[in-house]
Amino acid sequence: MINTIIFDIGGVLVGYDWKAFLLKEFNNDIPLVTRIADNVFKSWDEVDRGVLSEEELLDLFCKDAPDIREEIIHFWETLGGALWQYDFTKDWLRDLKNRGYRILYLSNWSHHVKECCKEQMDFLSMMDGGVFSYKVKLIKPDHAIFKEIIKRYNLTPSECVFLDDRLDNCQAAIACDMNAIQVVDHQTAVDELEKLLNK
């Protein structure tokens, strides 16, 4: 029987659109936006891992694009504008909590991004805890981060269901003996979750 529901955040509880945000910030300059995205996101795992300092991250982003350092820094400082809380997030969490389920998060997320979108993530206070990648220096789909949340909250994996928008993360959860649902769209995820909870 499922008693714990573990949520990824990006793409599950919070939406984001980096490309649209960058195009708005840089006047639809597609070549510039492409360069910024290419140089920032190729190193994004290191953002989420939380090992490097902010200055080290910026140097990494700009290593192959020193001429657009100013633009990369602007994106880094304003990126909270690319994220928004889904309108169903709080109602979904509240419903599950009211039905007695423990609600946790397990997300590849950096301290910087968390600080940039406090309002978009104000649902965290509704949850029973969780693990951010930057705090444990591990990122999904590494099995070690799943083992970390299992150990920290004394979970029985078979009594947990993990929801994530990425298939590889769901596969890792299953390899760690959890149930998992890939979130492709909200309603389908809700339906699949309810089937699992009603077994």
Side-chain angles (χ1 to χ4, degrees), residues 90-107:
K90 287 178 182 170
D91 287 341
W92 194 15
L93 296 178
R94 189 177 295 110
D95 174 64
L96 293 168
K97 284 279 290 179
N98 287 343
R99 290 159 61 188
Y101 295 103
R102 177 163 48 175
I103 307 297
L104 302 174
Y105 56 83
L106 179 63
S107 189

Side-chain angles (χ1 to χ4, degrees), residues 76-136:
W76 180 248
E77 291 177 346
T78 62
L79 56 75
L83 296 95
W84 65 91
Q85 184 182 127
Y86 291 133
D87 57 7
F88 54 73
T89 294
K90 287 178 182 170
D91 287 341
W92 194 15
L93 296 178
R94 189 177 295 110
D95 174 64
L96 293 168
K97 284 279 290 179
N98 287 343
R99 290 159 61 188
Y101 295 103
R102 177 163 48 175
I103 307 297
L104 302 174
Y105 56 83
L106 179 63
S107 189
N108 288 353
W109 211 266
S110 79
H111 174 72
H112 176 76
V113 178
K114 185 168 174 277
E115 289 300 301
C116 286
C117 56
K118 289 180 178 178
E119 184 178 339
Q120 295 93 318
M121 294 171 65
D122 65 357
F123 56 81
L124 290 177
S125 62
M126 300 172 62
M127 305 181 83
D128 298 306
V131 172
F132 281 121
S133 60
Y134 80 91
K135 287 195 171 181
V136 294

Side-chain angles (χ1 to χ4, degrees), residues 57-69:
L57 286 171
L58 288 171
D59 286 344
L60 187 60
F61 299 155
C62 301
K63 183 180 68 171
D64 298 323
D67 57 309
I68 58 168
R69 185 180 182 91

